[in-house]
Amino acid sequence: MGNPLETIQPTRVGIIGCGAIIAQYLTNFRRLDSIDLVAVADLDRSRAQAVADSYEGVRALAVDELLAADDVDLVLNLTIPAAHAEIALKAIAAGKSVYGEKPLAATTAEAREVLEAAKSAGVVVGCAPDTVLGTGIQTARKAIDDGLIGAPISATATMATPGHERWHPNPDFYYQPGGGPLLDMGPYYVSALVTLLGPVVSVVGAASHTRDERTIGSGPREGQKVPVDIDSHVTGVLVHASGSLSTLFMSFDAVKTKSPNIEIHGEKGSLVVPDPNHFDGDVQLFALGADDWETLPVSAGYVDSGRGFGIADLAATPAGQEPRAGGELAFHALEVMESVLESAKTGQSVSIKSTAKRPAAVPLAELATTVSA
């Protein structure tokens, strides 16, 4: 293992949006020589200043100041999903590449506008989740590519929780249009399934909800009711171009499950894939004729990775090539999810218009080279 980015000129990054998720990025940026964080901005200037005070060499700026800054090569967009497209388009107009938290935009129409603007401007778009670059998903991918399960036949992807209102102090968004279990957690699962099995050509979906309101279980609003205006349980079947079939089970209604997060079945074996919301985890194989499950050794992916490694990977991507955690994959995943929800409403199969090449595999590598105190 080595550091494939050690000869790469550091990418100068400015962050817009200083909410809770920024802490994970800051931790990993301190470990990545290929990332040079230079500025942060937030509508609440005090939050940006607090980040700047905690990170040497970082300036707290207004949003427009950061977008105009000459020393920012790439904007990391950590705003709320409804603002993803707006901020991305402003950054692109300023000649900067963009990497955003998932989803790429609130709708595929907005996401398409972002990708078209970036293409015209000659800049790069990347998007979370970059969990697919970690050792968990990549070791599973290598097992498939090495033929350990033979030709893939099917997959199941399961996410079950009784609802975020039990722990989140302000869960309203999760139960409004744009929220729900599929759009909230689906990007992790769909991106992983495309990485493992390739792009999707059509979907069938069904959905339901168990109640019209939820009760906040913690924080200053404990006991308040939140209206539910979306389906809180979604199932779908994804038909991959390869012929594999993936079944999604995404629920804010189910209490618990013992099902693997992702399980892949092939002619010669079955594979348990770790949680796609994490970067690592055990990959287990049950080969045809075996007596038990075998835990496979870690064999691919960025070791000890975390949020922000997708930006380092983007920085190392040769000009003209699509990053592994790129806009093409993010758009495809968003269209797949939108289409599952559309199918659930119409009762009809929906064809997927976009495609995304299966991202290049990640060899076993360490990107983190230094750790600041």
Side-chain angles (χ1 to χ4, degrees):
M1 292 187 298
N3 177 8
L5 305 187
E6 59 188 4
T7 62
I8 300 297
Q9 182 72 22
T11 295
R12 300 173 298 178
V13 174
I15 300 177
I16 298 179
C18 297
I21 193 65
I22 196 174
Q24 295 183 50
Y25 282 94
L26 296 178
T27 296
N28 290 311
F29 283 175
R30 288 186 169 95
R31 304 164 57 212
L32 291 166
D33 286 347
S34 59
I35 301 295
D36 181 12
L37 181 61
V38 298
V40 294
D42 193 279
L43 291 177
D44 182 345
R45 186 64 177 260
S46 65
R47 293 205 301 186
Q49 190 60 57
V51 172
D53 291 343
S54 71
Y55 203 114
E56 185 178 354
V58 173
R59 313 190 307 280
L61 303 175
V63 172
D64 288 344
E65 291 174 334
L66 188 148
L67 291 170
D70 292 335
D71 62 344
V72 172
D73 304 315
L74 178 145
V75 171
L76 172 56
N77 185 0
L78 301 184
T79 58
I80 61 173
H84 282 184
E86 176 188 357
I87 294 299
L89 288 169
K90 287 182 177 180
I92 291 167
K96 304 183 189 309
S97 294
V98 181
Y99 185 95
E101 256 302 328
K102 54 86 180 172
L104 180 59
T107 66
T108 52
E110 290 182 352
R112 185 176 294 107
E113 186 178 359
V114 169
L115 294 185
E116 289 176 351
K119 183 177 180 180
S120 296
V123 298
V124 181
V125 174
C127 188
D130 50 2
T131 47
V132 294
L133 307 181
T135 54
I137 300 300
Q138 290 295 321
T139 294
R141 179 198 170 128
K142 189 173 189 304
I144 294 172
D145 291 350
D146 287 349
L148 298 189
I149 65 169
I153 299 168
S154 66
T156 58
T158 305
M159 191 287 298
T161 173
H164 291 348
E165 76 279 0
R166 293 169 58 85
W167 57 268
H168 199 294
N170 295 292
D172 310 64
F173 164 78
Y174 294 108
Y175 300 102
Q176 300 301 312
L182 181 58
L183 292 178
D184 176 41
M185 295 300 295
Y188 299 103
Y189 289 81
V190 175
S191 296
L193 289 170
V194 173
T195 296
L196 294 167
L197 300 175
V200 177
V201 295
S202 66
V203 302
V204 177
S208 64
H209 69 276
T210 56
R211 47 199 186 276
D212 295 327
E213 60 182 18
R214 301 283 182 126
T215 302
I216 298 177
S218 64
R221 297 174 61 199
E222 183 176 358
Q224 289 186 19
K225 304 292 185 181
V226 173
V228 176
D229 295 327
I230 48 87
D231 284 319
S232 47
H233 182 97
V234 182
T235 61
V237 176
L238 317 182
V239 181
H240 295 263
S242 64
S244 298
L245 303 178
S246 292
T247 302
L248 290 176
F249 177 104
M250 303 278 120
S251 184
F252 283 168
D253 294 340
V255 174
K256 199 70 175 175
T257 178
K258 293 181 72 174
S259 299
N261 295 100
I262 296 178
E263 194 169 50
I264 311 288
H265 302 285
E267 295 175 320
K268 298 180 180 179
S270 294
L271 203 66
V272 170
V273 181
D275 189 344
N277 191 20
H278 297 160
F279 288 82
D280 54 12
D282 288 339
V283 177
Q284 294 184 303
L285 169 70
F286 201 113
L288 184 65
D291 294 324
D292 203 352
W293 292 93
E294 170 194 3
T295 299
L296 299 180
V298 171
S299 58
Y302 292 132
V303 177
D304 295 330
S305 51
R307 277 182 166 85
F309 273 58
I311 300 173
D313 186 84
L314 180 153
T317 301
Q321 292 186 20
E322 178 73 5
R324 289 184 176 97
E328 182 182 283
L329 175 59
F331 182 92
H332 187 63
L334 180 58
E335 186 188 357
V336 167
M337 293 185 294
E338 271 194 0
S339 298
V340 168
L341 296 175
E342 178 186 346
S343 176
K345 290 180 179 179
T346 65
Q348 303 293 319
S349 172
V350 176
S351 296
I352 304 301
K353 298 176 182 177
S354 69
T355 190
K357 292 181 180 178
R358 196 168 173 236
V362 180
L364 191 63
E366 292 182 349
L367 293 191
T369 58
T370 60
V371 179
S372 300

